[in-house]
Amino acid sequence: MKRAGRRRSSVWDCFEQVGSFVRCMKCDVTLKYCSGGTSSMMSHMSRHHPSTALLEEDEKPVICSVQCVEEESAANSDIMQVAIMSPNTNMNSNPPERDYGERKRLKRSSVWDIFIKVDDEVHCTLCDTKLKYRSSTTSMMYHIKNKHPDTVPNDGVSLATHAEVTELISKMIEKDMLPVSMVSGDGFRELLAYTVHNYKMPSVGDITRLIEGHFHEKMEELALQLSRVEKVALTADFWTALPYQRYITVFCSFITEDWQGRSAVLQTHKLPSDSLVTTDSVTERLLNTVQTWGIGGKVTACVHNNTQDIPSAHGCAHVTWDYATCFASTLQLAVCDGLSEDLVRIIAAAGKLVKHFNHNMLASEALEHKQVQMCLPQHKLIQSSKARWDTICDMFERLLEQRWAIKAVLSDRTITNRQEAQNLEIEDDCWQIIENFTPVLATLKWATTVISAETEVSISNIYPITFSLIQTHLVPKENDVEQVSEFKLKVQRSLKNHMEVDSNDLASKPALMASMLDPRHKHLSFLTPTGRLAAKVKLHELVSKLDVINITVGPKDEQQETLITPDISQVAVPSQMRSDTKNTMMLLLGDNYSSSYATDSEAQVDYYLRDIAPSLDTNPLDWWKVNGPRFPKLATLARHYLCVPGVSLPSLLSEAGQTFATMRTRLSPEHVDMMIFVNRNA
């Protein structure tokens, strides 16, 4: 019996004994093992694996040998199972032993991704070559390097992983909207060669084919979804890419059977030059998209962010849907209409001041120092953008927050000279205008934020918010300065004009019908009594049309309709009396008395309008998911109108001039369509 406590060489951490041989667990090299000597193993480690530090003799762990029987083979019955312990570890402790099979799997050579073992042979799956197997993978590795050099595996990175890397590259290009040509860049190839051993870099054509495959897969998935919905809404987003190429991207929105809102890109069309874009060319592309996706007759409305190139609702006989302007674009026009020369001058002066602090390092550091001294938030100043009016609000709010720190820096002659300070100083009356003007801009910004929420129903909020702005927030107050009062009146007038709030045909607008089908706004308290009556009549008309369509398609089983009248069986009366009374009433009035009354369209509308309105933080889709069975016809209409977005979807494409910049101008219109489709429908 071996003496317990004998010191074991640390090379056994890297080698394992197989009969009269030892195998290196790092490179699968097999060495002859004679008389218990470890010299050959030590020599191999120093030559081929110098980075692996072996323990010195006084650092070697103490081993405790225990006789055990291996179940795998009788030839291994004399192998000693060892428990490795640190010299400082208590000898009585029992550390968990690592499973031998698990260790074998972790050290498994990747040549087994190509070869399979059959009895005492291994078969190559690429060329059907058969080799003898003697517990070593050297011959298999030699075969692969000579016969299949393009598929040489590397331990830790299998062939399957190479395919996954290629797939991830294609998805990276889709998600980040990168040019496909990046895979041929020298820097990118060097990076992949360093990180993935023996990786064969795909060509531009390979990546293009992968993206095309994703494109067709997503097309099939979306087509299946669209075939299951009754109504959809379109969104037409106009955008420009360098060099002055105009596109229109058509989105669709719909509500699923389980009352979940969904949106997806349908198609992107390249438009002619500005001088050749007409309403007919835009209509042609919209109709082409509808026909391609087979959603003719399903479109409720089309929302757009362009007021010039979109035709009127009745401009084309083939167009069966209504048009609605993006509310964010409408609000942008109204704000621009309201800016007077004085306000524009103040905005320019504020922008000049912010630019000075953002570009002058000395002034920027001095501002940070003053912020600490005055216990102000250490925020940088915000520069407004001409393309987005809401950034004016952000700039003014930050200037008001840092006003006194800014004044302190400008008055310090060691930092700002007198002439520079005079050019940058904002006069006190201008500060008063900024202070009075900022809350108005903030209110308009909140309105845009609420309507632009992509994850919630937005179209039903348009008219409640519009009337709230006109009737409350944009009404001049006594303490308003002249410039702010003038701004409020101009924006108020512009909103009334663009939103047609005084129109006799307001009830036919999709946004107003959506408000009525939103249980939070169904009372339409912002309208006059005459306006509410007109909206109610329009709702009855839509339900009646729905009844005609249902009769034409096929009558529904009335017994499947959920009763909306109170169930008398729920009243607390003795069971015997309740049963007798119920049976008697059924004999007198008939079994379908309640059902016929409940399925009456006018009754559904009346019960819906009389029902208690939920709170404003309620999601209308969640409300309809629960209450839809009570008002089945109105629930159908709710699907039709609440799917319409309040704004076009500009989060990706409104900055498309940046997205499709210099490196993307060579993309064909077909590939632009493909890239946007797979990106937005990821």
Side-chain angles (χ1 to χ4, degrees):
M1 183 174 179
K2 294 183 180 181
R3 179 169 55 89
R6 179 182 177 184
R7 295 191 178 275
R8 174 180 179 266
S9 175
S10 59
V11 295
W12 290 108
D13 294 336
C14 304
F15 281 81
E16 66 175 357
Q17 184 177 354
V18 182
S20 60
F21 294 87
V22 287
R23 184 181 71 85
C24 177
M25 293 186 289
K26 293 185 175 294
C27 62
D28 285 328
V29 168
T30 304
L31 303 176
K32 190 73 173 175
Y33 180 58
C34 301
S35 305
T38 59
S39 301
S40 59
M41 292 183 277
M42 292 287 285
S43 176
H44 173 81
M45 293 298 294
S46 61
R47 285 184 182 181
H48 300 285
H49 310 293
S51 60
T52 304
L54 297 176
L55 296 175
E56 297 295 336
E57 190 66 24
D58 58 348
E59 296 176 342
K60 292 179 183 178
V62 179
I63 64 170
C64 179
S65 302
V66 181
Q67 186 74 25
C68 70
V69 179
E70 281 290 338
E71 296 179 358
E72 294 181 0
S73 173
N76 296 327
S77 60
D78 59 343
I79 294 178
M80 309 305 294
Q81 185 176 8
V82 296
I84 302 177
M85 294 177 290
S86 169
N88 298 325
T89 305
N90 188 344
M91 294 293 290
N92 294 326
S93 61
N94 295 315
E97 298 177 1
R98 186 175 182 180
D99 182 76
Y100 181 75
E102 180 184 355
R103 181 170 59 84
K104 292 274 286 184
R105 286 193 295 273
L106 292 174
K107 295 296 182 180
R108 176 179 179 271
S109 174
S110 56
V111 297
W112 293 110
D113 293 325
I114 299 174
F115 280 86
I116 58 174
K117 187 174 183 296
V118 180
D119 296 329
D120 59 345
E121 293 182 336
V122 286
H123 296 181
C124 177
T125 58
L126 299 180
C127 63
D128 291 331
T129 297
K130 299 178 181 179
L131 302 174
K132 284 289 184 181
Y133 179 59
R134 295 186 178 87
S135 303
S136 173
T137 59
T138 306
S139 59
M140 292 183 277
M141 183 66 75
Y142 182 81
H143 170 81
I144 295 171
K145 287 181 178 179
N146 286 276
K147 301 296 182 180
H148 314 292
D150 293 338
T151 57
V152 175
N154 180 52
D155 284 343
V157 183
S158 64
L159 293 179
T161 306
H162 289 183
E164 291 171 3
V165 171
T166 305
E167 180 75 14
L168 287 172
I169 291 173
S170 67
K171 289 185 177 180
M172 176 188 69
I173 291 173
E174 295 168 8
K175 288 183 179 180
D176 297 339
M177 302 291 280
L178 299 171
V180 182
S181 58
M182 69 167 291
V183 299
S184 59
D186 293 337
F188 186 73
R189 287 178 172 270
E190 288 177 6
L191 172 66
L192 266 294
Y194 179 79
T195 54
V196 186
H197 185 67
N198 291 329
Y199 177 65
K200 183 182 179 182
M201 182 63 67
S203 65
V204 172
D206 295 334
I207 296 297
T208 302
R209 281 188 289 274
L210 274 175
I211 295 176
E212 288 175 349
H214 299 163
F215 173 71
H216 293 300
E217 288 175 7
K218 293 181 185 299
M219 280 191 68
E220 292 176 1
E221 293 175 4
L222 182 57
L224 181 61
Q225 284 183 315
L226 292 177
S227 66
R228 295 173 177 172
V229 298
E230 296 179 7
K231 289 287 183 178
V232 300
L234 299 182
T235 305
D237 193 30
F238 292 80
W239 54 281
T240 303
L242 299 176
Y244 309 109
Q245 296 175 349
R246 296 197 68 198
Y247 289 88
I248 175 175
T249 296
V250 184
F251 296 79
C252 77
S253 304
F254 54 91
I255 297 174
T256 62
E257 294 179 356
D258 59 344
W259 290 97
Q260 297 295 318
R262 295 284 184 270
S263 63
V265 169
L266 293 183
Q267 210 163 354
T268 298
H269 301 277
K270 188 176 184 296
L271 295 173
S273 60
D274 291 348
S275 59
L276 299 178
V277 174
T278 62
T279 55
D280 291 338
S281 63
V282 173
T283 304
E284 179 185 352
R285 284 160 176 78
L286 290 175
L287 290 171
N288 176 268
T289 301
V290 170
Q291 182 180 4
T292 300
W293 288 92
I295 54 177
K298 288 187 174 185
V299 181
T300 301
C302 177
V303 181
H304 61 90
N305 64 342
N306 187 298
T307 56
Q308 299 176 350
D309 301 331
I310 286 287
S312 64
H314 307 290
C316 178
H318 299 289
V319 174
T320 58
W321 56 81
D322 293 317
Y323 284 99
T325 306
C326 166
F327 184 73
S329 302
T330 301
L331 206 54
Q332 169 90 13
L333 292 174
V335 171
C336 292
D337 291 342
L339 293 176
S340 62
E341 292 183 3
D342 288 343
L343 290 176
V344 172
R345 179 175 55 83
I346 293 173
I347 293 169
K352 183 179 178 181
L353 178 62
V354 172
K355 184 177 180 181
H356 168 74
F357 278 95
N358 286 346
H359 290 79
N360 188 310
M361 184 64 68
L362 183 62
S364 177
E365 291 176 353
L367 180 62
E368 293 177 1
H369 182 65
K370 294 297 183 183
Q371 288 171 345
V372 174
Q373 284 185 335
M374 298 181 177
C375 298
L376 293 173
Q378 292 184 318
H379 294 158
K380 288 188 176 182
L381 302 183
I382 299 174
Q383 183 72 61
S384 64
S385 170
K386 293 181 179 179
R388 294 182 54 186
W389 67 266
D390 56 312
T391 57
I392 300 174
C393 177
D394 298 332
M395 179 176 67
F396 282 173
E397 287 179 341
R398 188 56 54 84
L399 284 173
L400 290 172
E401 176 189 89
Q402 303 294 335
R403 176 180 177 179
W404 302 112
I406 292 170
K407 279 185 170 290
V409 174
L410 293 180
S411 62
D412 189 344
R413 291 293 166 260
T414 62
I415 301 170
T416 312
N417 60 51
R418 186 178 300 278
Q419 183 178 359
E420 195 174 38
Q422 289 176 350
N423 292 332
L424 295 173
E425 277 281 9
I426 297 178
E427 299 174 359
D428 290 341
D429 58 341
C430 292
W431 278 109
Q432 180 63 33
I433 294 173
I434 291 175
E435 190 173 349
N436 201 205
F437 185 38
T438 302
V440 182
L441 288 178
T443 302
L444 296 173
K445 181 183 175 182
W446 296 338
T448 306
T449 303
V450 171
I451 298 297
S452 300
E454 294 185 17
T455 57
E456 300 177 4
V457 173
S458 57
I459 186 172
S460 59
N461 293 324
I462 288 180
Y463 275 109
I465 289 177
T466 299
F467 276 92
S468 177
L469 292 174
I470 293 172
Q471 297 171 358
T472 305
H473 302 287
L474 294 175
V475 176
K477 299 178 181 179
E478 293 182 1
N479 59 344
D480 286 341
V481 297
E482 181 183 351
Q483 292 84 350
V484 174
S485 295
E486 183 183 355
F487 173 80
K488 285 183 175 181
L489 291 173
K490 286 182 178 179
V491 174
Q492 188 185 78
R493 193 180 311 119
S494 181
L495 273 179
K496 285 183 178 180
N497 181 39
H498 286 107
M499 297 302 298
E500 303 178 5
V501 297
D502 297 326
S503 171
N504 295 327
D505 197 32
L506 186 63
S508 63
K509 301 290 182 183
L512 190 68
M513 276 296 98
S515 296
M516 202 165 191
L517 290 165
D518 186 330
R520 301 171 299 174
H521 308 307
K522 62 184 178 182
H523 44 71
L524 303 181
S525 59
F526 50 87
L527 293 180
T528 62
T530 304
R532 288 196 290 271
L533 180 61
K536 183 177 180 180
V537 171
K538 181 65 177 179
L539 185 61
H540 279 292
E541 181 184 333
L542 291 173
V543 174
S544 299
K545 287 183 179 179
L546 198 63
D547 287 338
V548 173
I549 294 173
N550 289 339
I551 292 172
T552 304
V553 174
K556 293 183 178 180
D557 185 2
E558 288 188 352
Q559 297 303 321
Q560 294 179 355
E561 301 282 4
T562 304
L563 303 184
I564 59 174
T565 53
D567 187 355
I568 195 171
S569 64
Q570 301 301 319
V571 181
V573 295
S575 58
Q576 184 64 38
M577 183 184 299
R578 183 169 65 244
S579 177
D580 294 343
T581 304
K582 184 177 179 181
N583 293 335
T584 304
M585 291 294 287
M586 289 173 61
L587 289 172
L588 291 172
L589 302 179
D591 292 346
N592 62 345
Y593 175 78
S594 297
S595 300
S596 60
Y597 178 70
T599 56
D600 181 77
S601 300
E602 292 187 4
Q604 280 198 31
V605 173
D606 291 339
Y607 272 102
Y608 168 70
L609 295 178
R610 280 193 234 127
D611 205 34
I612 299 174
S615 61
L616 286 175
D617 59 354
T618 301
N619 187 328
L621 298 186
D622 292 340
W623 189 92
W624 277 111
K625 185 176 182 179
V626 175
N627 295 277
R630 298 172 59 204
F631 315 108
K633 294 183 176 64
L634 291 175
T636 301
L637 284 178
R639 289 184 195 273
H640 294 181
Y641 284 92
L642 296 183
C643 69
V644 182
V647 296
S648 60
L649 302 177
S651 56
L652 170 71
L653 302 177
S654 60
E655 299 179 358
Q658 302 295 326
T659 306
F660 289 99
T662 307
M663 297 180 71
R664 295 133 179 112
T665 54
R666 292 177 293 174
L667 282 177
S668 65
E670 292 78 14
H671 283 149
V672 170
D673 174 31
M674 192 177 301
M675 288 289 287
I676 293 174
F677 186 90
V678 295
N679 178 279
R680 288 296 302 197
N681 297 336

